[in-house]
Amino acid sequence: MANMTPMMRQYLEMKDKYPGMILFFRLGDFYEMFFDDAKLVSRELELTLTGKSCGLEERAPMCGVPFHSAETYINRLIEKGYKVAICEQMEDPATAKGLVKRDVIRVVTPGTVIEQSMLDECRNNYILSVCMDGVHAGLAFADVSTGEFHLYEIEKASTRLQDEIVRIMPKEIIANAALPENATTLHVDVQDGMRFQLARARAALLEHFKVQSLDTFGVGRMKLGIRAAGALMKYLEETQKNALEHMTGLDEYHDKRYMMLDHTARRNLELTETMRSRQKQGSLLGILDYTCTAMGARTLRGFIEQPLAVKREIDERLEAVQMLAQADMTVDMIREALMQVYDVERLLSRIAYKSINAKDCLALRDSLSHVPEIHDALASIAPNGMLGCLLDQLTPLDSVVEKLTQAIDPDAPALMSEGHYIKSGYNAELDKLREASRNGHQWIADLEAKERELTGIKNLKIQYNRVFGYYIEVTKSNYEQVPYRYTRKQTLANCERYMTPELHEIQETVLGAQEKAVRLEQGLFIEIREFLSTQIPRIQHTAVGLKTLDALVSLAVAAVKNRYVRPEITEDGVIDIEDGRHPVVEAGMHGDEQFVPNSTLLDDKDNRMLIITGPNMAGKSTYMRQVALITLMAHMGSFVPAESAKIGIVDRIFTRVGASDDLASGQSTFMVEMNEMAHILRSATSKSLIVLDEIGRGTSTFD
């Protein structure tokens, strides 16, 4: 280290603070990597490996990427499972004395991505924290791109944890050392156990949310959940630094509130993607998704992946869908306005991370400017219940819209470094600087003509050099005509150079006007960004209203287009479907093809079990899946494809549909089927719906 150059010592000191991470070290217009990081990144991203003098005999291996396109390279590294620490220059190199100060401003990990190009706009990007304690577990999961933060606890974690992980679908998992190695097939980052201590975890949450007690969020007694949530908050604070102000609440996830769906059921029922092509088209989501916004699409996906299991909540959602389905003209107006709304939730994360740019501000302004018309359209149908609550959330944010309209140029460039993103007329000093930058040469020419006329010196010139700046030059033969208001600046052999108060003022304005304008613009934009930070809770409140309304409108549009009916939700354990249809198969039919409807009656008396027989391609599997899908759709608050439907509350849907050899673990098709059956028999209750499509088909019947 003693022989290293100062810059390389700075790099290595920073690298020591972030072990196991790739350090993107800002040097001018590039992020550079050195030594082992350089070798790794050049190999993984196929970049040229070069070298840099570092004070040692051998040059340090080096590779780099341009800072303006770093996002693409970081994304590729994140997808490969690496973590990237971004080390920025904390001062302007032009004004810095000695070595430029640098610091890590953020660590990018798979679960903490906020960059739009790295995210699926229709899917949450969750990071999950698991705190195991014996057979119980506390879980906390968050999406830093939207500000969501949830926690809850589960019993019998050994059997349920994998299903919960499949439901949450996290991009990153952290856990305490008590988590069994075989608990999940995903990679788990085991954290220091001190993070999961109850007192530390509670303190981390209280400090972040600025509350006296976690009872504020109704989670004060959930010790395991608090331990998981506190460890997650500490991890996020360390990696995201001070960029979590959009995480304003802690939501308790009640697992009893939702229907349980394991990985097998999600896959077999093709809820959000097909089994064969893994595409949205051909899934239940593909049929129901008429959302207009990315955040609405994520909300609808959440409805499908987490069907409700509480009658009152299901009825509230169904009532909202019915009111919207009956107001087609109003829905058209709402959808037209929603089409103009950007992903406000993820724009909020960029405000919190201080990475929002002028284009984002315009997107936020345009989105919020449509809230009043959405509010008024919704108010026209006299909403109550759930829609009434949404109406209260859709508060017009006139002050934010007005501020952004006044401040941000509608033609702002994509790159902030180009300047000219603050609107003309917003700041008088900035307008003057821009005017000087544009018209400086003309001002000088006009002043030169004016001085020639006033003095009568025909060959008077106004010139410029880097040492003296601007000056008036008068030749020796005209010295007698020089007025007293001229101040001598320099004497040469054949001429003298002068300054006047007016020329001095122009010089001060013109010289560096562009540089001053850029600095002033940056300062003004920081003020705007700070103003937006103060508005995060209000904007977040409105965003929740917008995304929920968008998802409900989508269900209403699907109901009208596909001739769905409102199901009756009961608690008597009866499923009574008259002329039910498979929603996906029906939607895929063309021309004169007609889906043949079928009725279903299941109860807890004589019809607990239905055995379906018939030849191949008779529709047995379609019928069975249709019952499961109609039941699930009813629980998510959607209308259903049937003439009528009474659906009793179901706590869980199990499916055993098809199977194949699991050669990796040495299991035959028959063994896979028996294991799945054993899991169903262990876990099912009297309120569970079980769909079994052929058992033991890989083995002869007498075996």
Side-chain angles (χ1 to χ4, degrees), residues 350-371:
R350 293 202 275 281
I351 295 172
Y353 277 79
K354 296 180 170 49
S355 62
I356 192 167
N357 60 31
K359 287 289 187 188
D360 293 333
C361 287
L362 292 174
L364 182 61
R365 180 204 68 187
D366 292 346
S367 300
L368 298 180
S369 67
H370 290 284
V371 172

Side-chain angles (χ1 to χ4, degrees), residues 111-112 125-129 140-142 170-172 174 232 235-236:
T112 60
N125 195 74
Y126 287 126
I127 177 171
L128 170 68
S129 171
F141 58 102
K171 291 295 177 72
E172 185 177 357
I174 65 169
L232 178 56
Y235 179 80
L236 292 176

Side-chain angles (χ1 to χ4, degrees), residues 53 113 126 223 251 415 418 424 439 509 533 590 598 649 691:
S53 298
V113 168
Y126 287 126
K223 292 182 179 178
D251 173 52
L415 290 175
E418 294 176 16
S424 295
N439 302 328
T509 307
S533 293
H590 304 289
N598 286 278
I649 293 290
V691 177

Side-chain angles (χ1 to χ4, degrees), residues 557-597:
V557 172
V560 173
K561 282 183 179 290
N562 301 322
R563 298 178 296 107
Y564 294 167
V565 299
R566 177 175 176 173
E568 180 187 339
I569 306 300
T570 67
E571 293 182 308
D572 58 6
V574 175
I575 293 177
D576 186 358
I577 302 168
E578 184 181 340
D579 287 344
R581 314 184 303 274
H582 191 297
V584 182
V585 174
E586 180 185 47
M589 290 186 155
H590 304 289
D592 297 331
E593 291 179 322
Q594 293 245 333
F595 187 94
V596 178

Side-chain angles (χ1 to χ4, degrees), residues 37-49 63-65 73 76-77 80:
D37 276 5
K39 293 175 184 176
L40 186 151
V41 172
S42 69
R43 182 178 69 247
E44 292 286 5
L45 302 184
E46 299 177 353
L47 300 175
T48 303
L49 187 67
C63 76
V65 300
Y73 296 101
R76 288 167 62 189
L77 290 169
K80 291 172 181 283

